[in-house]
Amino acid sequence: MAAPSDDNGSRDQYRVLVYSHEPIVAAGLESTLRQVEGFEVMPMCATLAGLMEQIGHAAPNLALVDLTPDITFAVLSEIMPPWRTPGSCCG
């Protein structure tokens, strides 16, 4: 998977957001993703409110969401970017 490019053709980083209420899982994912060239790991979210705030303000390219009882279909629909449709891939 190639990193997104801007109008000048230069490569940007994928902004990755991790949401999990399991700190060990989140730390492991963050550690692994930080080693991958082209990924910028955003601060980890442990609450639904933090997830919603980060998505609203930071606009990550990818959100890795731990499925907890708080994560409902309504929440998933709300955090999906408006230009995306379920099942679409790769912009």
Side-chain angles (χ1 to χ4, degrees), residues 5-12:
S5 61
D6 62 18
D7 293 337
N8 298 323
S10 65
R11 295 287 178 196
D12 293 327

Side-chain angles (χ1 to χ4, degrees), residues 23 57 61:
H57 289 103
N61 300 97

Side-chain angles (χ1 to χ4, degrees), residues 15-39:
R15 296 167 49 92
V16 180
L17 176 63
V18 176
Y19 164 78
S20 178
H21 67 283
E22 297 289 339
I24 294 173
V25 171
L29 277 170
E30 284 186 280
S31 175
T32 301
L33 292 172
R34 287 191 194 283
Q35 297 175 34
V36 178
E37 185 177 334
F39 280 179

Side-chain angles (χ1 to χ4, degrees), residues 18-71:
V18 176
Y19 164 78
S20 178
H21 67 283
E22 297 289 339
I24 294 173
V25 171
L29 277 170
E30 284 186 280
S31 175
T32 301
L33 292 172
R34 287 191 194 283
Q35 297 175 34
V36 178
E37 185 177 334
F39 280 179
E40 173 191 345
V41 181
M42 300 168 60
M44 195 272 303
C45 298
T47 66
L48 182 56
L51 172 68
M52 301 303 279
E53 181 178 338
Q54 283 280 24
I55 286 177
H57 289 103
N61 300 97
L62 175 66
L64 299 176
V65 179
D66 186 6
L67 296 179
T68 64
D70 292 340
I71 302 298

Side-chain angles (χ1 to χ4, degrees), residues 15 52 55-56 58-63 65 74-88 91:
R15 296 167 49 92
M52 301 303 279
I55 286 177
N61 300 97
L62 175 66
V65 179
V75 169
L76 293 175
S77 295
E78 188 174 334
I79 65 175
M80 179 147 333
W83 48 267
R84 284 276 215 210
T85 58
S88 69

